[in-house]
Amino acid sequence: VKRTNVIFTCIFIGHSFFNRLVESKKPVEQEEEVEEEDEEPQRNFTFEQLKYFDGKKDESTNEIKPVYLALNGLVFDVSDGRNFYGEGGPD
């Protein structure tokens, strides 16, 4: 009877250890999925659409527009550097 108890105890401890090991890997996979969802969707702009994002005040909403910069087909939001990239920046 004691030998059977020892065997069941070892099986229980091994099973618990294995389950914790497997579960410790699951949250990492879930975090990666969340990070992928946080990415902004890719958008395509025509030249005419891109001209709107010049950092000036929008006359219809009285809000400052963002500053977008296109380089080799990629569009960047450079609004934080509007003094450099926007009107009045270096030529």
Side-chain angles (χ1 to χ4, degrees), residues 53-57 66-67 81-91:
F53 300 99
D54 57 5
K56 297 178 183 176
K57 184 183 263 188
V67 180
R82 77 176 58 253
N83 294 334
F84 185 82
Y85 295 106
E87 188 175 33
D91 292 328

Side-chain angles (χ1 to χ4, degrees), residues 16-28:
S16 298
F17 177 76
F18 179 76
N19 282 341
R20 287 184 185 154
L21 181 65
V22 170
E23 293 214 351
S24 69
K25 292 182 180 181
K26 286 183 181 178
V28 173

Side-chain angles (χ1 to χ4, degrees), residues 30-89:
Q30 291 172 350
E31 288 176 12
E32 291 175 4
E33 291 175 9
V34 170
E35 289 176 12
E36 292 175 6
E37 292 173 4
D38 290 341
E39 294 180 17
E40 290 188 27
Q42 186 174 2
R43 294 178 273 176
N44 295 319
F45 293 93
T46 66
F47 181 71
E48 292 300 315
Q49 290 171 325
L50 196 58
K51 284 188 346 184
Y52 171 80
F53 300 99
D54 57 5
K56 297 178 183 176
K57 184 183 263 188
D58 186 346
E59 293 179 15
S60 62
T61 63
N62 287 330
E63 294 181 3
I64 303 279
K65 297 182 282 187
V67 180
Y68 286 0
L69 173 74
L71 181 65
N72 292 333
L74 296 175
V75 177
F76 301 92
D77 183 350
V78 294
S79 299
D80 290 339
R82 77 176 58 253
N83 294 334
F84 185 82
Y85 295 106
E87 188 175 33

